[in-house]
mmCIF file of all heavy atoms in Angstrom:
data_model
loop_
_atom_site.group_PDB
_atom_site.id
_atom_site.type_symbol
_atom_site.label_atom_id
_atom_site.label_comp_id
_atom_site.label_asym_id
_atom_site.label_seq_id
_atom_site.Cartn_x
_atom_site.Cartn_y
_atom_site.Cartn_z
ATOM 1 N N ALA Y 131 19.256 125.302 9.004
ATOM 2 C CA ALA Y 131 19.436 125.481 10.486
ATOM 3 C C ALA Y 131 18.150 125.023 11.265
ATOM 4 O O ALA Y 131 17.812 125.687 12.290
ATOM 5 C CB ALA Y 131 19.768 126.955 10.799
ATOM 6 N N ALA Y 132 17.612 123.907 10.873
ATOM 7 C CA ALA Y 132 16.512 123.308 11.641
ATOM 8 C C ALA Y 132 17.089 122.485 12.718
ATOM 9 O O ALA Y 132 17.906 121.555 12.459
ATOM 10 C CB ALA Y 132 15.584 122.506 10.693
ATOM 11 N N PHE Y 133 16.624 122.623 13.923
ATOM 12 C CA PHE Y 133 17.281 122.104 15.127
ATOM 13 C C PHE Y 133 17.083 120.620 15.384
ATOM 14 O O PHE Y 133 16.009 120.123 15.235
ATOM 15 C CB PHE Y 133 16.841 122.932 16.382
ATOM 16 C CG PHE Y 133 17.264 122.322 17.651
ATOM 17 C CD1 PHE Y 133 18.598 122.457 18.059
ATOM 18 C CD2 PHE Y 133 16.413 121.624 18.517
ATOM 19 C CE1 PHE Y 133 19.051 121.986 19.310
ATOM 20 C CE2 PHE Y 133 16.824 121.090 19.732
ATOM 21 C CZ PHE Y 133 18.142 121.255 20.092
ATOM 22 N N GLY Y 134 18.201 120.027 15.808
ATOM 23 C CA GLY Y 134 18.114 118.910 16.737
ATOM 24 C C GLY Y 134 17.930 117.479 16.154
ATOM 25 O O GLY Y 134 17.580 116.624 16.965
ATOM 26 N N GLU Y 135 18.076 117.204 14.902
ATOM 27 C CA GLU Y 135 17.760 115.846 14.446
ATOM 28 C C GLU Y 135 19.008 115.299 13.694
ATOM 29 O O GLU Y 135 19.884 116.017 13.232
ATOM 30 C CB GLU Y 135 16.612 115.914 13.441
ATOM 31 C CG GLU Y 135 15.300 116.525 13.997
ATOM 32 C CD GLU Y 135 14.602 115.647 14.942
ATOM 33 O OE1 GLU Y 135 15.065 114.496 15.234
ATOM 34 O OE2 GLU Y 135 13.578 116.082 15.468
ATOM 35 N N GLN Y 136 19.061 113.957 13.558
ATOM 36 C CA GLN Y 136 19.967 113.340 12.700
ATOM 37 C C GLN Y 136 19.250 113.037 11.390
ATOM 38 O O GLN Y 136 18.086 113.320 11.209
ATOM 39 C CB GLN Y 136 20.569 112.143 13.340
ATOM 40 C CG GLN Y 136 21.543 112.470 14.527
ATOM 41 C CD GLN Y 136 22.602 111.462 14.770
ATOM 42 O OE1 GLN Y 136 22.556 110.366 14.358
ATOM 43 N NE2 GLN Y 136 23.618 111.911 15.496
ATOM 44 N N LEU Y 137 20.006 112.471 10.428
ATOM 45 C CA LEU Y 137 19.561 112.456 9.027
ATOM 46 C C LEU Y 137 18.102 112.042 8.792
ATOM 47 O O LEU Y 137 17.320 112.790 8.261
ATOM 48 C CB LEU Y 137 20.492 111.561 8.229
ATOM 49 C CG LEU Y 137 20.005 111.364 6.781
ATOM 50 C CD1 LEU Y 137 20.087 112.711 6.038
ATOM 51 C CD2 LEU Y 137 21.024 110.368 6.084
ATOM 52 N N LEU Y 138 17.713 110.738 9.204
ATOM 53 C CA LEU Y 138 16.424 110.299 8.819
ATOM 54 C C LEU Y 138 15.246 111.084 9.447
ATOM 55 O O LEU Y 138 14.238 111.400 8.764
ATOM 56 C CB LEU Y 138 16.283 108.845 9.093
ATOM 57 C CG LEU Y 138 17.336 107.963 8.329
ATOM 58 C CD1 LEU Y 138 17.210 106.431 8.693
ATOM 59 C CD2 LEU Y 138 17.295 108.166 6.820
ATOM 60 N N ASP Y 139 15.342 111.357 10.768
ATOM 61 C CA ASP Y 139 14.367 112.145 11.391
ATOM 62 C C ASP Y 139 14.284 113.613 10.801
ATOM 63 O O ASP Y 139 13.205 114.172 10.658
ATOM 64 C CB ASP Y 139 14.641 112.258 12.905
ATOM 65 C CG ASP Y 139 14.300 110.913 13.587
ATOM 66 O OD1 ASP Y 139 13.490 110.207 13.075
ATOM 67 O OD2 ASP Y 139 14.909 110.615 14.636
ATOM 68 N N TRP Y 140 15.499 114.124 10.537
ATOM 69 C CA TRP Y 140 15.551 115.486 9.944
ATOM 70 C C TRP Y 140 14.865 115.529 8.580
ATOM 71 O O TRP Y 140 14.096 116.508 8.306
ATOM 72 C CB TRP Y 140 17.069 115.846 9.770
ATOM 73 C CG TRP Y 140 17.364 117.123 9.213
ATOM 74 C CD1 TRP Y 140 17.471 118.407 9.880
ATOM 75 C CD2 TRP Y 140 17.694 117.393 7.878
ATOM 76 N NE1 TRP Y 140 17.840 119.353 8.968
ATOM 77 C CE2 TRP Y 140 18.004 118.791 7.763
ATOM 78 C CE3 TRP Y 140 17.851 116.590 6.692
ATOM 79 C CZ2 TRP Y 140 18.334 119.340 6.512
ATOM 80 C CZ3 TRP Y 140 18.167 117.205 5.531
ATOM 81 C CH2 TRP Y 140 18.452 118.571 5.397
ATOM 82 N N LEU Y 141 15.012 114.508 7.734
ATOM 83 C CA LEU Y 141 14.309 114.422 6.503
ATOM 84 C C LEU Y 141 12.758 114.461 6.717
ATOM 85 O O LEU Y 141 12.053 115.204 6.030
ATOM 86 C CB LEU Y 141 14.701 113.202 5.739
ATOM 87 C CG LEU Y 141 16.083 113.161 5.000
ATOM 88 C CD1 LEU Y 141 16.458 111.813 4.536
ATOM 89 C CD2 LEU Y 141 16.140 114.176 3.888
ATOM 90 N N ASN Y 142 12.363 113.613 7.545
ATOM 91 C CA ASN Y 142 10.916 113.461 7.789
ATOM 92 C C ASN Y 142 10.210 114.726 8.429
ATOM 93 O O ASN Y 142 9.167 115.048 8.096
ATOM 94 C CB ASN Y 142 10.604 112.179 8.606
ATOM 95 C CG ASN Y 142 10.875 110.952 7.888
ATOM 96 O OD1 ASN Y 142 10.456 110.839 6.718
ATOM 97 N ND2 ASN Y 142 11.497 109.978 8.477
ATOM 98 N N ASN Y 143 10.976 115.304 9.390
ATOM 99 C CA ASN Y 143 10.343 116.370 10.200
ATOM 100 C C ASN Y 143 10.520 117.723 9.598
ATOM 101 O O ASN Y 143 9.810 118.626 9.836
ATOM 102 C CB ASN Y 143 11.015 116.390 11.614
ATOM 103 C CG ASN Y 143 10.602 115.178 12.431
ATOM 104 O OD1 ASN Y 143 9.549 114.529 12.128
ATOM 105 N ND2 ASN Y 143 11.470 114.823 13.331
ATOM 106 N N TYR Y 144 11.531 117.924 8.671
ATOM 107 C CA TYR Y 144 11.778 119.255 8.117
ATOM 108 C C TYR Y 144 11.791 119.256 6.629
ATOM 109 O O TYR Y 144 11.066 120.027 5.986
ATOM 110 C CB TYR Y 144 13.125 119.812 8.675
ATOM 111 C CG TYR Y 144 13.184 119.953 10.180
ATOM 112 C CD1 TYR Y 144 14.067 119.174 10.884
ATOM 113 C CD2 TYR Y 144 12.283 120.781 10.829
ATOM 114 C CE1 TYR Y 144 14.171 119.342 12.317
ATOM 115 C CE2 TYR Y 144 12.411 120.941 12.218
ATOM 116 C CZ TYR Y 144 13.291 120.191 12.882
ATOM 117 O OH TYR Y 144 13.387 120.388 14.342
ATOM 118 N N THR Y 145 12.627 118.353 6.008
ATOM 119 C CA THR Y 145 12.925 118.437 4.629
ATOM 120 C C THR Y 145 11.605 118.169 3.795
ATOM 121 O O THR Y 145 11.308 119.004 2.959
ATOM 122 C CB THR Y 145 14.008 117.470 4.219
ATOM 123 O OG1 THR Y 145 15.190 117.806 4.988
ATOM 124 C CG2 THR Y 145 14.290 117.557 2.684
ATOM 125 N N PHE Y 146 11.022 117.055 4.027
ATOM 126 C CA PHE Y 146 9.837 116.690 3.219
ATOM 127 C C PHE Y 146 8.696 117.679 3.434
ATOM 128 O O PHE Y 146 7.913 117.953 2.459
ATOM 129 C CB PHE Y 146 9.452 115.254 3.621
ATOM 130 C CG PHE Y 146 10.421 114.126 3.200
ATOM 131 C CD1 PHE Y 146 10.454 112.969 3.968
ATOM 132 C CD2 PHE Y 146 11.182 114.345 2.107
ATOM 133 C CE1 PHE Y 146 11.371 112.032 3.582
ATOM 134 C CE2 PHE Y 146 12.161 113.422 1.771
ATOM 135 C CZ PHE Y 146 12.225 112.191 2.480
#
Side-chain angles (χ1 to χ4, degrees):
F133 172 73
E135 305 284 0
Q136 291 206 344
L137 176 63
L138 299 181
D139 289 333
W140 179 84
L141 284 170
N142 288 315
N143 294 334
Y144 300 117
T145 302
F146 293 149

